[in-house]
Amino acid sequence: MPSTSANTVVVLDFETTGLSPNMGDRAIEIGAVKLVDGEVVDTFQELMNPGFRVSSFIEGYTGITNNMLRTASGCEGVMSRFAEFIAGFNLVAHNASFDKRFLDAELARFHAGYSGQFTCSMLIARRLIQDSPTHKLGDLVHFKGIANDGVFHRALADAEMTARLWLLMLDELDQQGIANPTFAMMQTISRTSKQALPAFFNKQRSKASL
DNA sequence: TGCCAGGCCCTCTTTAGGGCCTT
């Protein structure tokens, strides 16, 4: 059983066959990085075979082809290994409501789950990086000059960029004297409401609206 | 290419509507 640390998070990203598991869409790739006290200590990346052909749009969008998926492991085996990877850790994703739906759906297929809390880097970026014209992951990476290798829409590459964005926002909070910035950001849960937002983020929004 | 869904959030709002963001 891994040790749980308040400053440990797993940043994850799914590539999928579409937008909605409720409409029959499945995961085709999972990528993740594990951060401990701001350092990458482990990574996870696996393709998974959804059991049917993906559309040409998804092949073009992700670069993941049906030929690549033909020899990939099934979703259950991959997700079983991923469940072990995230066990006991809090989770971060960009537009987390999307990744959470697929994580929940894929794990539910074999009655698995996770105990960590999910939070959303996009919701935090909307508060902390209000001068960015958009809050798409790629646009934020370019806007903030975050290092990248030019690969987008692959799971590990997007998880790595989300992790760098997460660390950048932690630094910004730290420089502003926010105590325990990881805890502050983890309070901005994907299912949060205005009332549930930490006072700090409400202050940021109030200042921006002046 | 961009629709499918769904949660968040803003506004010309709250008995609603629509943009953003994810693949």
Side-chain angles (χ1 to χ4, degrees):
Chain A
M1 183 70 180
S3 62
T4 301
S5 165
N7 290 320
T8 300
V9 297
V10 173
V11 185
L12 64 93
D13 182 72
F14 276 103
E15 303 305 317
T16 72
T17 65
L19 294 174
S20 174
N22 288 337
M23 299 289 285
D25 290 317
R26 299 293 305 273
I28 57 174
E29 187 180 44
I30 177 68
V33 300
K34 190 174 290 177
L35 298 175
V36 177
D37 295 327
E39 299 290 333
V40 176
V41 299
D42 203 358
T43 64
F44 187 103
Q45 181 181 32
E46 284 201 53
L47 291 169
M48 55 190 120
N49 188 332
F52 55 87
R53 291 182 63 81
V54 302
S55 68
S56 58
F57 171 76
I58 291 299
E59 284 188 315
Y61 187 82
T62 65
I64 299 169
T65 65
N66 282 294
N67 196 44
M68 293 163 67
L69 294 173
R70 188 171 53 82
T71 55
S73 300
C75 294
E76 182 172 336
V78 174
M79 292 307 300
S80 177
R81 290 187 285 278
F82 188 64
E84 292 182 16
F85 185 82
I86 65 175
F89 298 112
N90 289 329
L91 307 172
V92 173
H94 201 70
N95 196 10
S97 65
F98 174 86
D99 293 280
K100 184 177 187 301
R101 280 199 302 277
F102 278 93
L103 179 63
D104 291 349
E106 293 295 347
L107 292 180
R109 287 177 173 270
F110 57 101
H111 309 292
Y114 55 94
S115 59
Q117 178 175 300
F118 229 123
T119 198
C120 179
S121 58
M122 184 187 74
L123 294 182
I124 297 170
R126 281 177 175 172
R127 290 162 174 75
L128 284 187
I129 311 175
Q130 296 180 351
D131 48 348
S132 178
T134 85
H135 295 88
K136 295 176 183 175
L137 177 60
D139 290 345
L140 285 166
V141 165
H142 289 129
F143 183 78
K144 299 300 287 187
I146 293 171
N148 68 89
D149 56 11
V151 176
F152 293 92
H153 305 306
R154 286 300 299 268
L156 182 56
D158 282 4
E160 287 174 335
M161 284 189 288
T162 302
R164 290 176 188 143
L165 173 66
W166 175 263
L167 293 175
L168 180 148
M169 293 191 295
L170 278 179
D171 277 347
E172 290 197 0
L173 288 182
D174 191 50
Q175 289 171 14
Q176 293 176 34
I178 302 302
N180 199 345
T182 299
F183 176 80
M185 298 224 287
M186 289 308 300
Q187 300 313 297
T188 307
I189 309 168
S190 61
R191 288 170 50 80
T192 194
S193 67
K194 288 178 185 176
Q195 290 72 26
L197 287 173
F200 169 75
F201 291 111
N202 283 328
K203 261 186 221 171
Q204 289 290 110
R205 187 164 53 183
S206 298
K207 281 199 302 189
S209 65
L210 291 177

